Amino acid sequence: MDPIADLRVKLGSAMDNADWTISMADRLCHACVDLLHVDGAAISLMLEGSSQGTFGSSDGLSRQVDELQFTFGEGPCMDAVRHGGPVFAEDLADVTDTRWPAFTGSVLDLGIGAVFALPIRLANSGVGVLDLYRRTSGGLVGNSLAGGLMAAELAALPLLEMISAEAKVRALGSNEPAWQQLSSLARVEVYQATGMVMVQLGVGPAEALARLRAHAFANGLTASQVAWSIVERELCLEVDGRPQSGGPHL
């Protein structure tokens, strides 16, 4: 069998017999690690250019890489959706590459040397991104690039099933597991915390989210971690330099 055709068969077979679409996505990410000479993979759900959550991953570090892109609002994943094409960072340690200063510094600290973002498209619309990462620098070698592009095509299948399930259960007014899983992907804690910061500081949503992200960056946390602290009232922000009660302050 042709090597490319064999790679497609192996990637497709990895998603067989999965219970739910998220399990299918996880299986595909694991197959990418096994077949494409990368150390990790994650599938991000993107709607209207905004990251809604990690749809599937090969490990916790892959999810963390995806979360950092949302936290900083920058990274290969964001650019891949924005431009509608693959975005490669073959050597994150290259000081001449200044595309994502905050994201790059954080993933280098995690021991990651290269990231490759491949857009996932449905009906000519970007609905997600397949992120591949490697601990060492360097490009996708051999058939790995072709395999990554095929994996991005295959990743559209579980996303399509989940989006279709969303439309169906909404129409029926039911609460099926598929809808529950899609709902859990949305970073609802961030949006809830942003609303609380708006009230605390008397600012608009853009500034509130910027303050939340700035606190995450300054303290080496993700936006979701900071958001949970705000929602749980473990963290309050300051107003005009005066701390509020309820926990640590920014």
Side-chain angles (χ1 to χ4, degrees):
M1 181 181 294
D2 177 81
I4 298 297
D6 182 55
L7 193 55
R8 180 180 288 276
V9 169
K10 289 179 178 177
L11 287 168
S13 298
M15 297 194 297
D16 290 344
N17 302 317
D19 295 331
W20 292 100
T21 52
I22 289 181
S23 178
M24 292 171 62
D26 285 341
R27 286 170 179 256
L28 180 59
C29 289
H30 283 287
C32 286
V33 174
D34 293 337
L35 300 171
L36 303 182
H37 306 289
V38 295
D39 296 310
I43 296 172
S44 302
L45 177 65
M46 307 286 290
L47 297 177
E48 298 180 354
S50 176
S51 174
Q52 300 298 305
T54 307
F55 189 71
S57 67
S58 60
D59 57 15
L61 183 57
S62 300
R63 287 182 172 270
Q64 190 172 0
V65 172
D66 181 46
E67 177 69 23
L68 285 171
Q69 297 189 75
F70 171 77
T71 297
F72 300 130
E74 64 178 33
C77 175
M78 303 294 187
D79 284 1
V81 171
R82 186 177 301 113
H83 302 306
V87 175
F88 300 149
E90 298 182 355
D91 184 3
L92 290 168
D94 181 0
V95 295
T96 65
D97 188 346
T98 59
R99 287 176 289 181
W100 320 290
F103 168 77
T104 297
S106 294
V107 293
L108 282 172
D109 288 343
L110 295 176
I112 294 173
V115 177
F116 315 94
L118 307 172
I120 302 168
R121 302 185 67 82
L122 285 174
N124 295 321
S125 297
V127 296
V129 174
L130 171 64
D131 276 331
L132 306 174
Y133 77 79
R134 187 183 294 128
R135 294 186 181 278
T136 58
S137 61
L140 292 173
V141 298
N143 294 325
S144 295
L145 176 56
L149 294 172
M150 286 188 290
E153 291 179 14
L154 290 169
L157 298 177
L159 282 174
L160 177 60
E161 289 196 18
M162 186 68 83
I163 292 170
S164 298
E166 173 195 354
K168 179 178 178 181
V169 297
R170 278 184 166 179
L172 296 175
S174 60
N175 193 24
E176 296 294 328
W179 167 237
Q180 293 174 1
Q181 291 188 60
L182 181 60
S183 297
S184 71
L185 291 174
R187 304 182 197 276
V188 291
E189 72 278 1
V190 175
Y191 304 129
Q192 184 179 355
T194 298
M196 294 174 66
V197 173
M198 289 170 60
V199 174
Q200 290 172 3
L201 302 184
V203 298
E207 183 176 345
L209 180 57
R211 290 291 299 273
L212 188 153
R213 282 173 161 164
H215 183 78
F217 176 70
N219 291 275
L221 303 171
T222 66
S224 291
Q225 289 173 323
V226 173
W228 275 119
S229 294
I230 293 173
V231 170
E232 294 296 320
R233 303 187 185 281
E234 297 171 353
L235 170 68
C236 292
L237 306 185
E238 293 181 353
V239 180
D240 297 330
R242 295 189 301 271
Q244 297 190 64
S245 60
H249 302 84
L250 175 60

